[in-house]
Amino acid sequence: MKRIFTLSFIIFSPFITLQSWALPSCPSNQNAYKDNCFGIYSWGDGEKYIGEWKDNKFHGQGTYTYASGSKYIGEFKEGKKHGQGTYYFVSGDKYVGNYKEGKKHGQGTYYFLANNKSKGDIFVGEFKDGDFNGQGTYTWANGSKYVGEYKDDQMHGQGTYTWEDGIKDLGEFRNGKLNGFAIRYDKNGNILKEGIWKDDE
């Protein structure tokens, strides 16, 4: 879960705002103090930031390209990802949603598209401190789906898991497995099992 091209930013970035165009250019010396301006900073390892600055920190709209090839396009506050943004991982995965103090936090969508697959798993829901936390829906590429509560990236709380073949588990999950009272239905809605579960059994 802890996974993360340089474009012509001014032409292509969907996050550029009219305010950015209104800001003056930052000093040409990239090591000079930057405040309420629009500029570029490059590091020797290939990392680069293009965007708005305030008090010599990334602040406002910007694009940060990592040495690995991953890229973040979106909002910054006091040097950290904060607000709405999109993170493109070098693996092909993508996250679109909210950030708080550098971490995924709030509503978001995570696309598991590793190795540039055209279709992968998708999670839509709440994040806290970078992990799935709160209500969410995880849809697997094979058609299976879980809708319910999450804690620390795992199914945890009340939820419904629908298997690829249509069988459905409705009940209490803990640490990613059925733990507590749950009912298993067949694809026609008939009860197959009902009772207290422990670790999916």
Side-chain angles (χ1 to χ4, degrees):
M1 288 309 309
K2 312 294 190 231
R3 304 171 265 175
I4 306 250
F5 164 85
T6 296
L7 291 172
S8 173
F9 177 78
I10 293 177
I11 296 176
F12 294 108
S13 172
F15 291 95
I16 269 289
T17 65
L18 293 176
Q19 181 184 359
S20 300
W21 291 98
L23 288 174
S25 297
C26 294
S28 57
N29 179 354
Q30 72 169 18
N31 293 316
Y33 189 84
K34 301 172 181 62
D35 186 39
N36 291 320
C37 60
F38 185 89
I40 300 171
Y41 193 97
S42 301
W43 287 263
D45 61 2
E47 296 200 354
K48 180 186 287 188
Y49 172 77
I50 306 175
E52 298 177 276
W53 296 75
K54 182 179 180 182
D55 295 332
N56 214 36
K57 295 179 180 179
F58 315 146
H59 194 95
Q61 298 290 342
T63 295
Y64 194 104
T65 304
Y66 294 81
S68 65
S70 297
K71 176 180 288 191
Y72 171 79
I73 302 174
E75 295 180 274
F76 290 83
K77 181 179 179 182
E78 298 179 348
K80 297 180 180 180
K81 300 185 289 291
H82 191 97
Q84 185 72 21
T86 299
Y87 198 115
Y88 301 90
F89 295 82
V90 69
S91 66
D93 288 3
K94 180 172 69 173
Y95 169 76
V96 181
N98 287 300
Y99 282 84
K100 182 179 180 182
E101 298 181 349
K103 296 182 179 180
K104 298 183 287 291
H105 193 100
Q107 283 295 127
T109 301
Y110 196 107
Y111 301 87
F112 294 89
L113 299 170
N115 303 316
N116 297 307
K117 296 184 295 186
S118 59
K119 184 179 179 181
D121 301 348
I122 300 175
F123 174 82
V124 180
E126 295 178 88
F127 290 79
K128 182 180 179 182
D129 295 330
D131 296 331
F132 306 158
N133 273 290
Q135 285 293 133
T137 298
Y138 193 112
T139 305
W140 282 262
N142 66 7
S144 298
K145 179 186 288 189
Y146 171 79
V147 181
E149 296 176 284
Y150 280 85
K151 181 180 179 182
D152 298 334
D153 273 347
Q154 297 194 69
M155 299 177 289
H156 195 99
Q158 292 296 317
T160 300
Y161 188 102
T162 304
W163 297 78
E164 181 183 4
D165 58 7
I167 289 176
K168 185 177 295 185
D169 295 331
L170 190 155
E172 190 174 351
F173 291 78
R174 190 167 67 248
N175 300 322
K177 297 179 179 181
L178 279 172
N179 276 288
F181 181 79
I183 303 174
R184 174 167 290 177
Y185 299 90
D186 67 17
K187 62 182 180 180
N188 298 313
N190 301 308
I191 295 176
L192 295 175
K193 295 180 180 180
E194 179 178 5
I196 304 298
W197 298 67
K198 181 176 173 56
D199 296 336
D200 282 341
E201 298 292 334

